[in-house]
Short mmCIF file of all heavy atoms in Angstrom, two decimals:
data_model
loop_
_atom_site.label_atom_id
_atom_site.label_comp_id
_atom_site.label_asym_id
_atom_site.label_seq_id
_atom_site.Cartn_x
_atom_site.Cartn_y
_atom_site.Cartn_z
N GLN A 1 56.44 207.40 158.94
CA GLN A 1 55.01 207.43 159.23
C GLN A 1 54.73 208.04 160.59
O GLN A 1 53.82 208.87 160.74
CB GLN A 1 54.41 206.03 159.16
CG GLN A 1 54.34 205.47 157.77
CD GLN A 1 53.89 204.01 157.77
OE1 GLN A 1 53.89 203.33 158.80
NE2 GLN A 1 53.52 203.53 156.60
N TRP A 2 55.51 207.66 161.61
CA TRP A 2 55.31 208.20 162.95
C TRP A 2 55.58 209.70 162.98
O TRP A 2 54.87 210.46 163.63
CB TRP A 2 56.19 207.46 163.96
CG TRP A 2 55.54 206.22 164.46
CD1 TRP A 2 55.78 204.94 164.05
CD2 TRP A 2 54.52 206.14 165.45
NE1 TRP A 2 54.96 204.07 164.72
CE2 TRP A 2 54.18 204.78 165.60
CE3 TRP A 2 53.86 207.07 166.23
CZ2 TRP A 2 53.22 204.33 166.49
CZ3 TRP A 2 52.89 206.63 167.12
CH2 TRP A 2 52.59 205.28 167.24
N ARG A 3 56.61 210.14 162.27
CA ARG A 3 56.91 211.57 162.23
C ARG A 3 55.75 212.34 161.61
O ARG A 3 55.40 213.43 162.07
CB ARG A 3 58.21 211.82 161.47
CG ARG A 3 59.43 211.31 162.24
CD ARG A 3 60.73 211.53 161.49
NE ARG A 3 60.96 212.95 161.34
CZ ARG A 3 61.48 213.49 160.24
NH1 ARG A 3 61.80 212.74 159.20
NH2 ARG A 3 61.68 214.78 160.18
N GLN A 4 55.12 211.79 160.59
CA GLN A 4 53.95 212.43 159.99
C GLN A 4 52.79 212.47 160.97
O GLN A 4 52.06 213.46 161.05
CB GLN A 4 53.55 211.69 158.72
CG GLN A 4 54.52 211.85 157.58
CD GLN A 4 54.20 210.94 156.40
OE1 GLN A 4 53.20 210.24 156.38
NE2 GLN A 4 55.09 210.94 155.42
N GLU A 5 52.61 211.39 161.73
CA GLU A 5 51.53 211.35 162.73
C GLU A 5 51.77 212.36 163.85
O GLU A 5 50.83 212.99 164.33
CB GLU A 5 51.38 209.94 163.31
CG GLU A 5 50.95 208.90 162.31
CD GLU A 5 49.59 209.16 161.70
OE1 GLU A 5 48.69 209.64 162.42
OE2 GLU A 5 49.42 208.90 160.51
N PHE A 6 53.03 212.52 164.28
CA PHE A 6 53.35 213.53 165.28
C PHE A 6 52.93 214.91 164.77
O PHE A 6 52.37 215.71 165.51
CB PHE A 6 54.85 213.57 165.60
CG PHE A 6 55.38 212.37 166.33
CD1 PHE A 6 56.71 212.02 166.20
CD2 PHE A 6 54.57 211.59 167.13
CE1 PHE A 6 57.22 210.92 166.87
CE2 PHE A 6 55.07 210.49 167.80
CZ PHE A 6 56.40 210.16 167.67
N ASP A 7 53.23 215.18 163.50
CA ASP A 7 52.90 216.47 162.91
C ASP A 7 51.38 216.64 162.83
O ASP A 7 50.83 217.65 163.27
CB ASP A 7 53.52 216.57 161.51
CG ASP A 7 53.41 217.97 160.90
OD1 ASP A 7 52.98 218.90 161.60
OD2 ASP A 7 53.75 218.10 159.72
N THR A 8 50.69 215.64 162.34
CA THR A 8 49.25 215.72 162.13
C THR A 8 48.46 215.78 163.44
O THR A 8 47.58 216.61 163.61
CB THR A 8 48.75 214.52 161.31
OG1 THR A 8 49.43 214.51 160.06
CG2 THR A 8 47.25 214.59 161.07
N HIS A 9 48.79 214.89 164.38
CA HIS A 9 47.95 214.73 165.58
C HIS A 9 48.48 215.41 166.83
O HIS A 9 47.72 215.70 167.75
CB HIS A 9 47.73 213.25 165.86
CG HIS A 9 47.04 212.54 164.73
ND1 HIS A 9 45.72 212.76 164.40
CD2 HIS A 9 47.51 211.64 163.84
CE1 HIS A 9 45.40 212.02 163.36
NE2 HIS A 9 46.47 211.34 162.99
N LEU A 10 49.79 215.65 166.88
CA LEU A 10 50.37 216.26 168.08
C LEU A 10 50.92 217.66 167.82
O LEU A 10 51.47 218.28 168.72
CB LEU A 10 51.48 215.37 168.65
CG LEU A 10 51.06 213.96 169.05
CD1 LEU A 10 52.26 213.15 169.50
CD2 LEU A 10 50.01 214.02 170.16
N ASP A 11 50.82 218.11 166.57
CA ASP A 11 51.30 219.42 166.17
C ASP A 11 52.80 219.59 166.45
O ASP A 11 53.25 220.65 166.90
CB ASP A 11 50.49 220.53 166.85
CG ASP A 11 50.62 221.86 166.12
OD1 ASP A 11 50.91 221.85 164.91
OD2 ASP A 11 50.46 222.91 166.78
N ILE A 12 53.55 218.53 166.22
CA ILE A 12 55.01 218.59 166.33
C ILE A 12 55.54 218.48 164.89
O ILE A 12 55.53 217.40 164.31
CB ILE A 12 55.58 217.44 167.19
CG1 ILE A 12 54.98 217.47 168.59
CG2 ILE A 12 57.11 217.55 167.25
CD1 ILE A 12 55.39 216.29 169.46
N PRO A 13 55.96 219.60 164.30
CA PRO A 13 56.38 219.60 162.90
C PRO A 13 57.52 218.61 162.63
O PRO A 13 58.37 218.39 163.49
CB PRO A 13 56.86 221.04 162.66
CG PRO A 13 56.28 221.84 163.77
CD PRO A 13 56.11 220.90 164.93
N GLU A 14 57.50 218.04 161.44
CA GLU A 14 58.54 217.06 161.08
C GLU A 14 59.94 217.66 161.18
O GLU A 14 60.89 216.95 161.47
CB GLU A 14 58.29 216.52 159.67
CG GLU A 14 57.12 215.55 159.62
CD GLU A 14 56.96 214.89 158.28
OE1 GLU A 14 57.92 214.21 157.84
OE2 GLU A 14 55.89 215.03 157.67
N ALA A 15 60.07 218.97 160.97
CA ALA A 15 61.38 219.62 161.09
C ALA A 15 61.93 219.50 162.51
O ALA A 15 63.15 219.56 162.71
CB ALA A 15 61.28 221.09 160.69
N ARG A 16 61.07 219.30 163.52
CA ARG A 16 61.51 219.16 164.91
C ARG A 16 61.73 217.71 165.30
O ARG A 16 62.16 217.43 166.42
CB ARG A 16 60.48 219.79 165.85
CG ARG A 16 60.46 221.31 165.73
CD ARG A 16 59.54 221.96 166.72
NE ARG A 16 59.79 221.53 168.08
CZ ARG A 16 58.84 221.50 169.02
NH1 ARG A 16 57.61 221.86 168.75
NH2 ARG A 16 59.14 221.10 170.23
N THR A 17 61.40 216.78 164.42
CA THR A 17 61.53 215.36 164.77
C THR A 17 62.53 214.64 163.86
O THR A 17 62.35 213.48 163.52
CB THR A 17 60.16 214.65 164.70
OG1 THR A 17 59.63 214.74 163.38
CG2 THR A 17 59.19 215.24 165.71
N ILE A 18 63.58 215.33 163.50
CA ILE A 18 64.63 214.70 162.69
C ILE A 18 65.44 213.80 163.62
O ILE A 18 66.01 214.25 164.61
CB ILE A 18 65.52 215.76 162.02
CG1 ILE A 18 64.68 216.60 161.06
CG2 ILE A 18 66.70 215.10 161.30
CD1 ILE A 18 65.38 217.80 160.50
N PRO A 19 65.47 212.50 163.32
CA PRO A 19 66.16 211.56 164.22
C PRO A 19 67.67 211.58 164.03
O PRO A 19 68.17 211.99 162.99
CB PRO A 19 65.58 210.22 163.82
CG PRO A 19 65.24 210.38 162.38
CD PRO A 19 64.83 211.82 162.21
N ARG A 20 68.35 211.12 165.08
CA ARG A 20 69.79 210.89 164.98
C ARG A 20 70.06 209.46 165.43
O ARG A 20 69.32 208.88 166.23
CB ARG A 20 70.59 211.90 165.79
CG ARG A 20 70.35 211.86 167.26
CD ARG A 20 71.08 213.01 167.97
NE ARG A 20 70.82 212.97 169.38
CZ ARG A 20 71.62 212.41 170.29
NH1 ARG A 20 72.76 211.89 169.92
NH2 ARG A 20 71.29 212.41 171.57
N GLU A 21 71.12 208.87 164.92
CA GLU A 21 71.49 207.49 165.22
C GLU A 21 72.19 207.43 166.58
O GLU A 21 73.14 208.17 166.83
CB GLU A 21 72.42 206.95 164.14
CG GLU A 21 72.90 205.55 164.36
CD GLU A 21 71.99 204.52 163.74
OE1 GLU A 21 71.16 204.87 162.90
OE2 GLU A 21 72.13 203.35 164.11
N VAL A 22 71.69 206.58 167.48
CA VAL A 22 72.30 206.40 168.80
C VAL A 22 72.29 204.90 169.12
O VAL A 22 71.22 204.31 169.28
CB VAL A 22 71.52 207.16 169.90
CG1 VAL A 22 72.13 206.91 171.27
CG2 VAL A 22 71.45 208.65 169.61
N ASP A 23 73.45 204.29 169.18
CA ASP A 23 73.58 202.88 169.56
C ASP A 23 72.63 201.96 168.80
O ASP A 23 71.92 201.14 169.38
CB ASP A 23 73.35 202.70 171.07
CG ASP A 23 74.39 203.42 171.90
OD1 ASP A 23 75.54 203.53 171.43
OD2 ASP A 23 74.05 203.87 173.01
N GLY A 24 72.56 202.12 167.49
CA GLY A 24 71.76 201.23 166.67
C GLY A 24 70.27 201.53 166.63
O GLY A 24 69.50 200.75 166.09
N ARG A 25 69.86 202.64 167.18
CA ARG A 25 68.45 203.02 167.12
C ARG A 25 68.36 204.50 166.75
O ARG A 25 69.33 205.23 166.86
CB ARG A 25 67.74 202.74 168.44
CG ARG A 25 68.27 203.51 169.61
CD ARG A 25 67.66 203.06 170.92
NE ARG A 25 68.14 203.87 172.00
CZ ARG A 25 69.30 203.72 172.63
NH1 ARG A 25 70.10 202.74 172.26
NH2 ARG A 25 69.65 204.50 173.61
N GLN A 26 67.20 204.90 166.30
CA GLN A 26 66.96 206.30 165.95
C GLN A 26 66.37 207.01 167.16
O GLN A 26 65.50 206.47 167.84
CB GLN A 26 66.00 206.39 164.77
CG GLN A 26 66.53 205.75 163.49
CD GLN A 26 67.72 206.50 162.93
OE1 GLN A 26 67.70 207.72 162.82
NE2 GLN A 26 68.77 205.78 162.60
N GLU A 27 66.83 208.22 167.43
CA GLU A 27 66.37 208.96 168.60
C GLU A 27 65.96 210.38 168.19
O GLU A 27 66.63 211.04 167.42
CB GLU A 27 67.48 209.02 169.63
CG GLU A 27 67.11 209.71 170.90
CD GLU A 27 68.24 209.68 171.90
OE1 GLU A 27 68.52 208.59 172.44
OE2 GLU A 27 68.84 210.75 172.13
N ILE A 28 64.82 210.81 168.72
CA ILE A 28 64.34 212.18 168.53
C ILE A 28 64.33 212.83 169.91
O ILE A 28 63.69 212.32 170.83
CB ILE A 28 62.92 212.20 167.93
CG1 ILE A 28 62.92 211.56 166.54
CG2 ILE A 28 62.37 213.62 167.88
CD1 ILE A 28 61.54 211.31 165.97
N SER A 29 65.05 213.94 170.05
CA SER A 29 65.10 214.64 171.33
C SER A 29 64.24 215.89 171.25
O SER A 29 64.38 216.70 170.33
CB SER A 29 66.54 215.04 171.67
OG SER A 29 67.31 213.89 171.93
N LEU A 30 63.34 216.01 172.22
CA LEU A 30 62.48 217.18 172.34
C LEU A 30 62.71 217.79 173.73
O LEU A 30 63.29 217.13 174.60
CB LEU A 30 61.02 216.79 172.15
CG LEU A 30 60.69 216.16 170.79
CD1 LEU A 30 59.31 215.53 170.80
CD2 LEU A 30 60.80 217.21 169.69
N ARG A 31 62.26 219.00 173.97
CA ARG A 31 62.47 219.64 175.29
C ARG A 31 61.91 218.79 176.42
O ARG A 31 62.48 218.72 177.50
CB ARG A 31 61.81 221.01 175.33
CG ARG A 31 62.60 222.10 174.68
CD ARG A 31 61.94 223.41 174.92
NE ARG A 31 60.52 223.27 174.59
CZ ARG A 31 59.74 224.21 174.15
NH1 ARG A 31 60.22 225.41 174.00
NH2 ARG A 31 58.49 224.00 173.87
N TRP A 32 60.77 218.16 176.20
CA TRP A 32 60.07 217.45 177.26
C TRP A 32 60.45 215.97 177.37
O TRP A 32 60.01 215.28 178.26
CB TRP A 32 58.56 217.56 177.08
CG TRP A 32 58.10 217.25 175.69
CD1 TRP A 32 57.87 218.15 174.70
CD2 TRP A 32 57.83 215.96 175.14
NE1 TRP A 32 57.47 217.50 173.55
CE2 TRP A 32 57.43 216.15 173.80
CE3 TRP A 32 57.88 214.66 175.64
CZ2 TRP A 32 57.08 215.11 172.96
CZ3 TRP A 32 57.54 213.61 174.79
CH2 TRP A 32 57.14 213.84 173.48
N GLY A 33 61.29 215.50 176.46
CA GLY A 33 61.69 214.10 176.55
C GLY A 33 62.32 213.58 175.28
O GLY A 33 62.64 214.34 174.37
N ARG A 34 62.49 212.29 175.26
CA ARG A 34 63.18 211.62 174.17
C ARG A 34 62.28 210.52 173.62
O ARG A 34 61.61 209.80 174.37
CB ARG A 34 64.48 211.03 174.71
CG ARG A 34 65.42 210.54 173.69
CD ARG A 34 66.73 210.06 174.30
NE ARG A 34 66.50 208.84 175.07
CZ ARG A 34 66.74 208.69 176.37
NH1 ARG A 34 67.23 209.69 177.07
NH2 ARG A 34 66.51 207.55 176.98
N ILE A 35 62.26 210.38 172.31
CA ILE A 35 61.52 209.31 171.64
C ILE A 35 62.55 208.45 170.92
O ILE A 35 63.37 208.96 170.16
CB ILE A 35 60.52 209.88 170.61
CG1 ILE A 35 59.55 210.84 171.29
CG2 ILE A 35 59.79 208.74 169.91
CD1 ILE A 35 58.72 211.66 170.32
N GLU A 36 62.53 207.16 171.19
CA GLU A 36 63.46 206.24 170.53
C GLU A 36 62.70 205.31 169.62
O GLU A 36 61.61 204.87 169.95
CB GLU A 36 64.20 205.39 171.57
CG GLU A 36 65.11 206.18 172.47
CD GLU A 36 65.80 205.29 173.48
OE1 GLU A 36 65.78 204.06 173.33
OE2 GLU A 36 66.35 205.84 174.45
N PHE A 37 63.28 205.02 168.47
CA PHE A 37 62.75 204.05 167.53
C PHE A 37 63.77 202.93 167.41
O PHE A 37 64.92 203.18 167.08
CB PHE A 37 62.52 204.68 166.15
CG PHE A 37 61.40 205.67 166.14
CD1 PHE A 37 61.61 206.98 166.53
CD2 PHE A 37 60.14 205.29 165.74
CE1 PHE A 37 60.58 207.90 166.53
CE2 PHE A 37 59.09 206.19 165.73
CZ PHE A 37 59.32 207.51 166.12
N ALA A 38 63.35 201.72 167.73
CA ALA A 38 64.27 200.59 167.69
C ALA A 38 63.58 199.38 167.08
O ALA A 38 62.38 199.20 167.21
CB ALA A 38 64.74 200.25 169.11
N THR A 39 64.36 198.56 166.43
CA THR A 39 63.84 197.30 165.91
C THR A 39 63.74 196.30 167.06
O THR A 39 64.36 196.48 168.12
CB THR A 39 64.76 196.72 164.83
OG1 THR A 39 66.03 196.41 165.44
CG2 THR A 39 64.95 197.70 163.67
N SER A 40 62.98 195.26 166.85
CA SER A 40 62.89 194.23 167.88
C SER A 40 64.25 193.59 168.13
O SER A 40 64.59 193.24 169.25
CB SER A 40 61.86 193.18 167.51
OG SER A 40 62.20 192.60 166.28
N GLN A 41 65.07 193.47 167.08
CA GLN A 41 66.40 192.90 167.25
C GLN A 41 67.25 193.76 168.18
O GLN A 41 67.99 193.23 169.01
CB GLN A 41 67.10 192.74 165.88
CG GLN A 41 66.46 191.73 164.98
CD GLN A 41 65.30 192.29 164.15
OE1 GLN A 41 64.86 193.42 164.35
NE2 GLN A 41 64.80 191.49 163.24
N ALA A 42 67.14 195.09 168.06
CA ALA A 42 67.89 195.98 168.96
C ALA A 42 67.36 195.88 170.38
O ALA A 42 68.13 195.88 171.34
CB ALA A 42 67.82 197.42 168.46
N LEU A 43 66.04 195.77 170.54
CA LEU A 43 65.47 195.65 171.88
C LEU A 43 65.86 194.34 172.56
O LEU A 43 66.00 194.28 173.78
CB LEU A 43 63.94 195.75 171.82
CG LEU A 43 63.37 197.14 171.54
CD1 LEU A 43 61.86 197.07 171.40
CD2 LEU A 43 63.77 198.12 172.62
N LEU A 44 66.06 193.29 171.76
CA LEU A 44 66.47 192.01 172.33
C LEU A 44 67.81 192.12 173.05
O LEU A 44 68.10 191.33 173.95
CB LEU A 44 66.56 190.93 171.24
CG LEU A 44 65.24 190.29 170.84
CD1 LEU A 44 65.41 189.50 169.55
CD2 LEU A 44 64.72 189.40 171.95
N GLN A 45 68.63 193.09 172.68
CA GLN A 45 69.95 193.26 173.28
C GLN A 45 69.89 193.98 174.63
O GLN A 45 70.87 194.01 175.36
CB GLN A 45 70.87 194.03 172.32
CG GLN A 45 71.00 193.41 170.95
CD GLN A 45 71.44 191.97 170.99
OE1 GLN A 45 72.40 191.63 171.68
NE2 GLN A 45 70.73 191.10 170.28
N GLN A 46 68.75 194.58 174.96
CA GLN A 46 68.63 195.35 176.20
C GLN A 46 68.32 194.44 177.39
O GLN A 46 67.58 193.48 177.27
CB GLN A 46 67.52 196.40 176.07
CG GLN A 46 67.92 197.53 175.18
CD GLN A 46 66.97 198.70 175.32
OE1 GLN A 46 66.61 199.27 174.33
NE2 GLN A 46 66.57 199.04 176.53
N GLU A 47 68.89 194.80 178.51
CA GLU A 47 68.67 194.05 179.75
C GLU A 47 67.39 194.47 180.45
O GLU A 47 66.71 193.66 181.05
CB GLU A 47 69.86 194.27 180.70
CG GLU A 47 71.17 193.71 180.18
CD GLU A 47 71.16 192.20 180.11
OE1 GLU A 47 70.60 191.56 181.03
OE2 GLU A 47 71.70 191.65 179.13
#
């Protein structure tokens, strides 16, 4: 859903937001930064 919203509202095509798995979370890398998708359980592990 978020990838579709990026495409619709931010003009970032879904082809550019294909996530990769990094330490139990999904990560999208763009030139200007990184977007991470994590469950609350994964966030609970962060300090």
Side-chain angles (χ1 to χ4, degrees):
Q1 290 174 344
W2 274 100
R3 291 179 64 218
Q4 290 171 5
E5 296 298 323
F6 291 154
D7 189 8
T8 302
H9 300 290
L10 301 176
D11 200 25
I12 302 174
E14 287 187 59
R16 290 185 52 209
T17 60
I18 297 171
R20 63 186 179 97
E21 178 90 16
V22 177
D23 296 329
R25 62 187 183 278
Q26 297 293 313
E27 183 177 289
I28 297 170
S29 293
L30 300 167
R31 280 186 312 210
W32 48 265
R34 191 176 69 239
I35 302 168
E36 295 179 14
F37 291 84
T39 63
S40 58
Q41 293 86 352
L43 287 176
L44 279 167
Q45 304 305 311
Q46 287 193 223
E47 295 292 321

